[in-house]
DNA sequence: AGCTTTCGCTACGACCCGTAGCGTAACTGC
DNA sequence: GCAGTTACGCTACGGGTCGTAGCGAAAGCT
């Protein structure tokens, strides 16, 4: 969440923890109903049953608030252990697609990414609280595949970044730009492409 | 551009073509300096030397204006003929990355995509004026590769869509989310992954 | 108690939105 | 030329959001 003072003062009235949760939930609700551009902080405050000033005391603005509200959605991702690399990839991609199918993720995520192109601090916030946190999935899946002998032991550490960009980018582009569902059929074709490449893709 | 009346009236004062160009250029300029959220239509009108009302007579709002302003950037894409599929892919991906490196494309494109998640008409505008228009690159590259014998004759028409989502998505995610340059080294690794897949990627 | 911080509330100037109204400019057809 | 039609520049307006300031009350600690 937002960066609290490292030596958090033990004196004075403590911040309401329930207010934090209420605000983030209200933000997601507003994203569903209004979308990014029509979402106003005053409206979020009203939904959360909180004064507008309280909101400004905790978040610098709309961008930071939405990043935190969206980041919580991705924590539920888990890589399944289905016994093969292909099945594991298909499983996690389907989960990722399911999250991106939710309207609060769609409208919020892309908007903050757009804003982050002009705000380095915001981009760092996105990277640490969303992207880097989920790279664990790629690492875990690769380790399992190597243990099974499906993948050679990897030496290049940048391969993880490459795979993450390809997987996340493809799913995002499919669901948000092409506006087609990343259903099982698509995920199977994508996984096949990822594993064996274009040359052998046709049988 | 915006949908003009099919039977364009031959009477009355014609719309200034130079104003169109000036407005779109001013929009890109404002995107660079201000970014999406701080861009106002009044400011764009002033930059273009045009009355604000003129702007509203041609575009319904900020979204539509930015889509048109950004779409022009992608028309310069050309698929090179370098003699091999791998080299062709590398060439066009590098061009695509170069466009996405420009700030007016970065902040504008993602923002309108975010807005399009709640506006079907806007998404259609994006698809027709940007996405579908550039799928020609995938088709042309595949045809050349098949003529060279590098790819088997394809029967499944959805493969083109899949490839486009993977390529465009990966480059976008690399440059905008991971915020790392899609330089020659990355493009080579990506192309290799795309062609031979994960299994044979390590040598 | 006394201290400290947060909370809810109200009010405020500043800015942007999108539209209406008007007079003028540009172009066409009679 | 002259009427008809459309686009243009300009001004002005109500309505909404922004982000902040100021206040008294509430909630925790020593």
């Amino acid at each position: 969440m937002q960066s609290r003072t490292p030596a958090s003062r033990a004196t004075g009235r403590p911040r309401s923890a329930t207010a934090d949760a209420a605000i983030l939930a209200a933000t997601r609700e507003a994203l569903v109903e209004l979308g990014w551009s029509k979402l106003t902080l005053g409206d979020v405050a009203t939904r959360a049953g909180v004064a507008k000033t309280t909101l400004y005391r905790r978040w610098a603005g709309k961008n930071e608030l939405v990043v935190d509200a969206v980041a919580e959605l991705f924590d539920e991702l888990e890589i399944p252990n289905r016994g093969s690399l292909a099945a594991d990839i298909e499983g996690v991609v389907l989960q990722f697609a399911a999250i991106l199918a939710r309207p609060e993720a769609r409208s919020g995520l892309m908007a903050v990414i757009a804003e982050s192109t002009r705000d380095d601090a915001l981009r760092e916030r996105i990277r640490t609280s969303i992207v880097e946190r989920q790279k664990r999935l790629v690492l875990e899946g690769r380790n399992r595949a190597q243990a099974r002998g499906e993948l050679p032991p990897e030496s290049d550490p940048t391969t993880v970044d490459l795979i993450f960009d390809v997987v996340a980018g493809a799913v995002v582009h499919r669901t948000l730009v092409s506006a087609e569902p990343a259903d099982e059929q698509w995920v199977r074709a994508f996984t096949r492409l990822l594993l064996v490449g274009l040359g052998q893709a046709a049988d």
Side-chain angles (χ1 to χ4, degrees), chain A:
Chain A
M1 301 305 136
Q2 66 275 24
S3 67
R4 212 160 298 217
T5 317
S8 189
R9 309 252 183 191
T11 175
R13 175 176 177 176
R15 287 193 169 172
S16 163
T18 61
D20 261 8
I23 291 172
L24 292 178
T27 303
R28 287 187 288 267
E29 185 184 312
L31 276 176
V32 174
E33 293 184 20
L34 305 174
W36 161 266
S37 60
K38 294 184 180 176
L39 180 148
T40 71
L41 294 195
D43 180 63
V44 170
T46 305
R47 289 173 190 266
V50 160
K52 192 174 64 166
T53 45
T54 298
L55 222 154
Y56 276 101
R57 288 189 191 102
R58 306 191 182 193
W59 284 277
K62 198 164 152 178
N63 293 331
E64 291 76 8
L65 174 63
V66 172
V67 170
D68 288 358
V70 171
E72 289 187 341
L73 296 176
F74 291 91
D75 283 336
E76 63 190 53
L77 280 175
E78 281 298 329
I79 194 165
N81 196 341
R82 294 184 173 182
S84 79
L85 176 57
D88 285 359
I89 293 179
E90 288 181 10
V92 73
V93 168
L94 277 174
Q95 284 183 56
F96 187 48
I99 294 180
L100 280 186
R102 295 163 68 175
E104 63 268 37
R106 301 163 71 101
S107 42
L109 185 62
M110 283 296 101
V112 293
I113 289 176
E115 289 301 307
S116 75
T117 61
R118 299 196 43 80
D119 185 339
D120 291 339
L122 182 63
R123 180 166 52 223
E124 259 316 291
R125 196 189 189 98
I126 294 175
R127 272 179 28 84
T128 57
S129 62
I130 300 182
V131 180
E132 288 300 325
R133 184 138 42 134
Q134 305 306 338
K135 272 189 185 162
R136 57 187 172 87
L137 301 172
V138 178
L139 282 170
E140 195 177 340
R142 192 190 60 179
N143 287 342
R144 279 195 204 149
Q146 287 173 343
R148 292 194 200 101
E150 292 181 285
L151 284 181
E154 184 73 49
S155 53
D156 188 357
T158 65
T159 304
V160 173
D161 299 327
L162 174 61
I163 294 175
F164 195 80
D165 284 330
V166 171
V167 174
V171 177
V172 168
H173 201 276
R174 166 79 176 178
T175 56
L176 298 192
V177 181
S178 298
E180 303 280 346
D183 51 19
E184 282 198 34
Q185 185 184 354
W186 184 87
V187 170
R188 229 190 311 272
F190 170 67
T191 303
R192 179 178 185 81
L193 174 62
L194 192 63
L195 285 178
V196 303
L198 262 183
Q200 296 90 5
D203 54 334

